Amino acid sequence: MSSKMKVIQSIEEMVALTKSDLWSGTIGFVPTMGALHRGHISLAEYARKECDIVVMSIYLNPTQFGPNEDLDNYPKTLKADLDKAEKAGVDYVFTPTSKMMYPDGFKSWVNVEGITDILCGAKRPNHFRGVTTIVSKLMNIVSPDLMYMGEKDYQQIAVLNTMISDLNFRTVIRPCPIIRESDNLAMSSRNAYLNEDERIRARVLYQSLQKARTLYKQGTADPEILRKSMQELIQLHAGKIDYIEFVDRNTLDKKETADDNTRVIIAVFIGSTRLIDNMDLV
Amino acid sequence: MSSKMKVIQSIEEMVALTKSDLWSGTIGFVPTMGALHRGHISLAEYARKECDIVVMSIYLNPTQFGPNEDLDNYPKTLKADLDKAEKAGVDYVFTPTSKMMYPDGFKSWVNVEGITDILCGAKRPNHFRGVTTIVSKLMNIVSPDLMYMGEKDYQQIAVLNTMISDLNFRTVIRPCPIIRESDNLAMSSRNAYLNEDERIRARVLYQSLQKARTLYKQGTADPEILRKSMQELIQLHAGKIDYIEFVDRNTLDKKETADDNTRVIIAVFIGSTRLIDNMDLV
C-alpha cells in the first residue's frame, strides 16, 4: 500500500473492507489505546516491514480498567495519533466507539484462567478479562495474520498467546522489544502523568531491573536476595512497589531459583502513577 | 462439491484445508456430537441446499457435560454417522479428539452471562460455558459462513447468537425446525436411552406443548394456568418436570403474560432420561 491512510469508524465498514478486493497479502495489526508514543510507532514500523497491509486500532477499552483506575484521565490525542500513524506507514486506522464495541446488553466475555490471576492480574481484577475480550473482538473484526504487541506488557502477550492457542484463533502475535526514553524509562502513555521530579525518580524501574541482572550474572540466583536489592534501590527513590516477581519467561510460573529463562517483572508507583517494566536476567 | 466425502482428523489439516484452493464459495457448517439422527441429517440437507461446501464436525464435547451427566453413556456410532453424513451430501467431516481440542494446560473459556443462567443453564451449571467455548474453537478452525443448528436446543441458539454478536464472530446461525418422530417426539440422541414404556410416555412432552398452545389460542394468557395444565398432563404420564418456562422467543426473558412472541420451553425426566422440547404458542 502507498496511498493515503484511511480512517475507519465503524465495525461494518472494517469488516466490509476485509471482504473486499483491497484485502490481500499478509495483514498486520497493531491494537492500541491511542496516546501513541515511539513504542507504538515501532510496532507499526515492524508491521510495515513484514506485511502487505497494516491496520492500527485506536480504541480506549473501558473494560480493562478497574473502577478506581485512570480511564477518565487516560490521555486522548487522536489528531496527533493519526498523524503519527500515517507517518509510520499505517494503511488503515480503526477507531470504533464504545457504543459500537459494547452495545447495551453486551454479556459475552473471554477469560483465561490462572495466568491472569498473578502479577498485574492479581492487582487489577478483571483487567485481563477486558483485554482478552476486546482482542477477541478486534481479531474477529480485522482478521489479521500478525498482531504486533510490545513486551512492556509482557504478561498481556503471555495471556493472549494462551487464548489464541486454546481457542484456535488464527492470528500470530509478534512480540516486539520495549522501546525506552534516552534515560531508559520504558515508553508508556502513562509517563505523561509524571511531574518533573517523578519523571527523574521513574528511572529507578530500569535501574532496579539492571541491578537484578547484574547480580544474577555475578552469581546470585536467589529471588529473595535479588528482590531485596531491587526493593532497596526503588525505595531510595521513593517508589512504592506494587510487585517484583521472578518468573519463567514462557509460562510466567514463579521461579524458586533464578536461571537463564527467568524474566523479572515489576510494577511500581511513582507518586500516584503505576508504571510497569520487565527484563530477562541474561 | 460432488466427490467422495473426506474425513479430517486433525485441527492442522482442517485449518490447512480452509486456506487451500479447495475452499471457495459459501461454507456451511453442522456441528454435532455424533449419534446422528434425522434431526442432524436435516441440518446437513439444509446446508447442502444453501452452500458450496458442507462441513460437519463429530465431536463429543466433554466440557458441556456436568460431572453426574451422561458423557460416558452418550451413544457413540461413528461408522454409521459417517455413512449418514455422506448420504446427506456432507463434503468434509471433522473428527478431532479431546487431546487436540483440550490439550494439557487448557485454560481459556468463553462465557455469556445472564441468558446462560436460566432454563437449562440453571439446571446444568457450566453447560453453556462448554458450548460457547467449543463453538468458538470450531468457528475459528472451520471459519464457516453459515452454521446450522436445530431449534430443539432453542436456548443454545440464543446463547450462541448473543456470543457471535458480542464478540463479532463472522458466522451466521441458521436455526432449523425441530424434526420429530412419527408420534411427534423430538429427535434426540438421548431418545436411545428410553425403554419401550418410557418411549411411549415421552410423547407427553409434545402433547403438553400442544396443550399450552391450544389453551393460549382459546384465550388463556396466564403462564401459571398454562403451566399447571401442562404439569397435570406430564405427571399423568409419570414425567418428572425439570422446568416449564414461558419466555420471549428472542430474548428468552420470562413472560408475565403469554403473547404471540412467547415460546414455551420444557425439560422433563422420563425415567432417568432428561428430554427437552419447545414450541411457539402461535
Side-chain angles (χ1 to χ4, degrees), chain A residues 39-72:
Chain A
H40 299 109
I41 298 310
S42 76
L43 302 178
E45 288 169 350
Y46 280 113
R48 181 73 285 163
K49 276 183 203 147
E50 200 172 16
C51 301
D52 299 292
I53 295 178
V54 177
V55 185
M56 176 183 281
S57 63
I58 296 181
Y59 174 61
L60 185 56
N61 175 38
T63 67
Q64 69 191 72
F65 287 80
N68 298 314
E69 292 182 359
D70 58 340
L71 174 61
D72 292 340

Side-chain angles (χ1 to χ4, degrees), chain A residues 19-33:
Chain A
K19 293 180 175 173
S20 76
D21 292 344
L22 289 169
W23 219 246
S24 68
T26 302
I27 312 298
F29 179 47
V30 183
T32 84
M33 300 207 298

Side-chain angles (χ1 to χ4, degrees), chain B residues 166-203:
Chain B
D166 282 354
L167 299 183
N168 309 99
F169 281 101
R170 287 157 178 251
T171 303
V172 172
I173 295 181
R174 288 277 195 258
C176 300
I178 299 173
I179 304 296
R180 300 181 179 281
E181 301 283 0
S182 58
D183 63 357
N184 287 318
L185 176 65
M187 293 272 177
S188 166
S189 305
R190 292 188 168 104
N191 293 350
Y193 300 153
L194 301 169
N195 66 28
E196 205 173 333
D197 172 58
E198 289 166 343
R199 177 65 187 72
I200 291 168
R201 284 158 48 209
R203 296 175 185 169

Side-chain angles (χ1 to χ4, degrees), chain A residues 56-264:
Chain A
M56 176 183 281
S57 63
I58 296 181
Y59 174 61
L60 185 56
N61 175 38
T63 67
Q64 69 191 72
F65 287 80
N68 298 314
E69 292 182 359
D70 58 340
L71 174 61
D72 292 340
N73 298 321
Y74 204 87
K76 290 160 199 78
T77 57
L78 183 60
K79 203 176 167 316
D81 291 347
L82 295 178
D83 286 347
K84 291 175 185 173
E86 180 150 34
K87 283 203 185 89
V90 170
D91 298 309
Y92 299 97
V93 176
F94 177 47
T95 60
T97 65
S98 283
K99 214 171 175 173
M100 297 171 193
M101 294 304 257
Y102 299 104
D104 282 349
F106 184 94
K107 47 192 161 209
S108 304
W109 301 95
V110 182
N111 202 29
V112 178
E113 296 176 344
I115 196 172
T116 56
D117 298 333
I118 56 175
L119 303 167
C120 282
K123 306 290 180 175
R124 305 181 69 190
N126 286 331
H127 167 66
F128 284 114
R129 190 187 73 155
V131 170
T132 46
T133 300
I134 194 66
V135 172
S136 293
K137 287 170 63 68
L138 288 168
M139 289 195 298
N140 283 341
I141 292 167
V142 176
S143 60
D145 300 298
L146 300 170
M147 181 161 64
Y148 295 79
M149 309 197 100
E151 287 190 327
K152 186 172 80 71
D153 299 302
Y154 197 81
Q155 185 179 12
Q156 174 170 280
I157 293 177
V159 168
L160 291 173
N161 269 328
T162 303
M163 176 186 83
I164 284 172
S165 168
D166 282 353
L167 299 183
N168 308 100
F169 281 101
R170 287 157 178 249
T171 303
V172 172
I173 295 180
R174 289 278 196 256
C176 300
I178 299 173
I179 305 295
R180 300 180 179 281
E181 302 283 359
S182 57
D183 63 357
N184 286 319
L185 176 65
M187 293 272 178
S188 167
S189 305
R190 291 188 168 103
N191 293 349
Y193 300 153
L194 301 169
N195 66 29
E196 206 172 333
D197 171 58
E198 289 167 343
R199 178 64 189 76
I200 291 167
R201 284 157 50 209
R203 296 174 185 169
V204 75
L205 274 85
Y206 180 80
Q207 288 165 357
S208 71
L209 295 170
Q210 276 289 10
K211 185 169 179 186
R213 176 187 258 175
T214 303
L215 288 173
Y216 173 74
K217 286 186 173 174
Q218 289 169 351
T220 306
D222 182 341
E224 283 318 306
I225 297 173
L226 295 171
R227 180 183 285 114
K228 197 148 207 173
S229 80
M230 294 174 72
Q231 277 170 342
E232 283 167 10
L233 184 58
I234 292 167
Q235 282 158 2
L236 199 65
H237 293 82
K240 189 172 153 279
I241 293 160
D242 197 25
Y243 65 78
I244 298 175
E245 297 290 356
F246 295 84
V247 299
D248 181 277
R249 69 189 315 283
N250 298 308
T251 64
L252 301 195
D253 289 338
K254 274 194 198 186
K255 286 284 194 182
E256 300 281 328
T257 306
D259 62 23
D260 288 1
N261 284 317
T262 299
R263 192 140 181 133
V264 50

